[in-house]
Amino acid sequence: MLERARQLSERLKFDPAKAGLGWWLAAINVSIVLVVVGGISFSAIGMLRDLADEQGKARVQLAGAMAREDLRRLGEDAVTAAHVLADRPTLQRLVAEDNPEALELFLRRFCQTEAINACAVFQGSSLLAQAGETLPWNEIVTASAEQGESFLAAPSGSASAVVGAGASFGEGKAARVYIVRDLDVQLARTLSQHVGLPIRLLNYRNFAAAPVDALTALHASGLADGHSAVQRITALDLYASSVPVFASTGEAIALIETRLPAAAIDQAAGHLARRLQVTALVLAVLAVLAGIMLGQMVAAPVRALTAAAVRLGEGDFSTSIPPGGAAEVGTLARTMEDMRGNLVDLTGTLRRREAEAQAVLSGIVEGVYAVDKNRTIRYLNPQAAHLLNVDTDGAVGRFCGDVLKPCDVNGRRPCDYDCPILHARTAGRAQSVERLQTSPGAARTTVIASSTMVDGLQVQVIRDETELEAVRRARDTVLANISHEFRTPLAAQLASIELLRDGLATLPPQQSAELVMSLERGTLRLTQLIDNLLESTRIESGQLSIRHQSVALAEILEDSRTLIGSLLVLRGQTLEVSLPHDLPHIDGDAMRLTQVFVNLLANASKFAPEGSVIRVGATAADDRVVTWVDDEGPGVPVEASTSIFERFRRSPDEEPEAGGLGLGLWIVKSIIDRHGGSIAAERSPENRTRFSINLPRDAPA
């Protein structure tokens, strides 16, 4: 019994070498059909799901746009209602009679509708009467003054934003009536019924202060786009859109959030996908039957040709080639004899060309490697082996991703989803930037260009651009910092100039003076930024020279106080200078040392609290003068006490004002070093932030 079972097992065991051509052709045909049908089905299902996804996104986006249009019409209706109310003779008479009680009753009757939540009447800046919800009418009046008849506002302390309108009436248009509608839950329910999907109206003030949730990124994208944003929120299994609502002044007021359960879209897509799968299965079964029949028909004449070829391979060149079979088989038989004569010549030519290719590949600068269809490395030139830090013999025969070791992107290896080798097989050529972990703790930036597959091999050229990428990042960082820091004071100056221009004839002298001081501070800040950049260039190019002269520290501090006095006044800070009367002079450059203390005092002013005291002191020790600048700021972390003096290094903590370029302390240290001194950041015994400067004293004559 056991012997019969063993024999049956031997018969059932599949041996590829013993399988006939007919079965192979059938298997290949079936495999191709299965791959094609499966690929088409997979692609169709993917496209179907993509279309369903786009439909879901389009529905919520359209619903959000419709809701925003409804809000715009609400504003127009509010304008109409405001004008209707303003034209009521009764209203005008009650205002003229100065009868607040009757006026409030009249407004209460007018405001008791679904379209109006509150209304008010103002005489000049005085509130005569109001009805409906109690609102911060001063903010409403301000919004109307900024935006015109129709306005949107997000009053502080209010749970919802509002839309409304105002209209003037009476003699000289001195009186004004305001109509307000809350963007609340009731309005959201009405909008939901109109657009057919659930709607939420979010007050922008409340959104900005709310904790981060699954929809926060969506709303942030909508605000950044300025029109709308739509996403499928996987965590909540729904489609959602965010449509921002802005006032005419550009201020964000509210967010329209539209939701659609993803199950409604997925169910329809899943039904169609199942139908496609059933169709593909039926076609696959038919392909199997057809493949078996066709394989047997083609295989018979090929078997005879195969037997003759075997004998030729064994050296029996007298073997005749049977001419039967299809036209292609007969052509093959006639060609085989010609191939034998050409084989020797071709082999010699191929060997010469291989030697030439090896010489070329070994001489170029870039790394070159070749892979087969399974992306297994079959060739690696010395430059590639050096770049990848591997041995050539050890790399050949391994999967290319295991040799190159690309860094993961979002937790996934690029070989699995974004491989240039696979892209080149369909596009003809591909190129990508890869970060390779060629050694522990160091990743290199490379550019890999991949060609299409030829004769079962696919060649890739790899170029190391690690240093070039570092240079690009440094350049982009510097340019971005410079652009940002110049834009901030320029924008403030432009705003002050516009205010001065619009109010030259009406602004009180005190406000005009404040605007001029703002311009002065902005100009000083720009000047300081430009000076720091120029000074940085001089230091980097070695053009910074130090004059040695006898300098009084008190005079340097007095000049520094004059230069940053406006900054101290702006923040309400006080500068206390405490110097011994017998403090010796310093051997140094007065202008450069003034620049040092201007940078340190400006830095202290920026990080110290408003209304605090900045203290400067000094003492003499041997042949040195030690000076310090103390402030009541948060201080410098211990791990950053040295790195803050590096070029373009900014504070590791969030700065209370717009950050600088990260040059000030680097320039300070460079000047101090050229004086033969030293500078350190530490905590004083009184637990204040302290920058200590050690400078050589002036030698007596």
Side-chain angles (χ1 to χ4, degrees), residues 12 143 167 265 351 563:
L12 294 177
I265 302 297
R351 288 175 178 172
L563 292 174

Side-chain angles (χ1 to χ4, degrees), residues 603 606-607 634-637 640 644 648-656 659-660 662 665:
N603 195 62
K606 179 169 66 173
F607 284 94
V636 180
I644 60 171
F648 299 118
R649 179 60 64 94
R650 302 168 72 175
S651 172
D653 298 325
E654 183 178 354
E655 299 187 12
L665 291 179

Side-chain angles (χ1 to χ4, degrees), residues 468-483:
L468 182 59
E469 182 67 18
V471 172
R472 290 196 191 108
R473 286 198 301 269
R475 178 200 63 194
D476 293 343
T477 300
V478 172
L479 290 178
N481 287 341
I482 292 174
S483 300

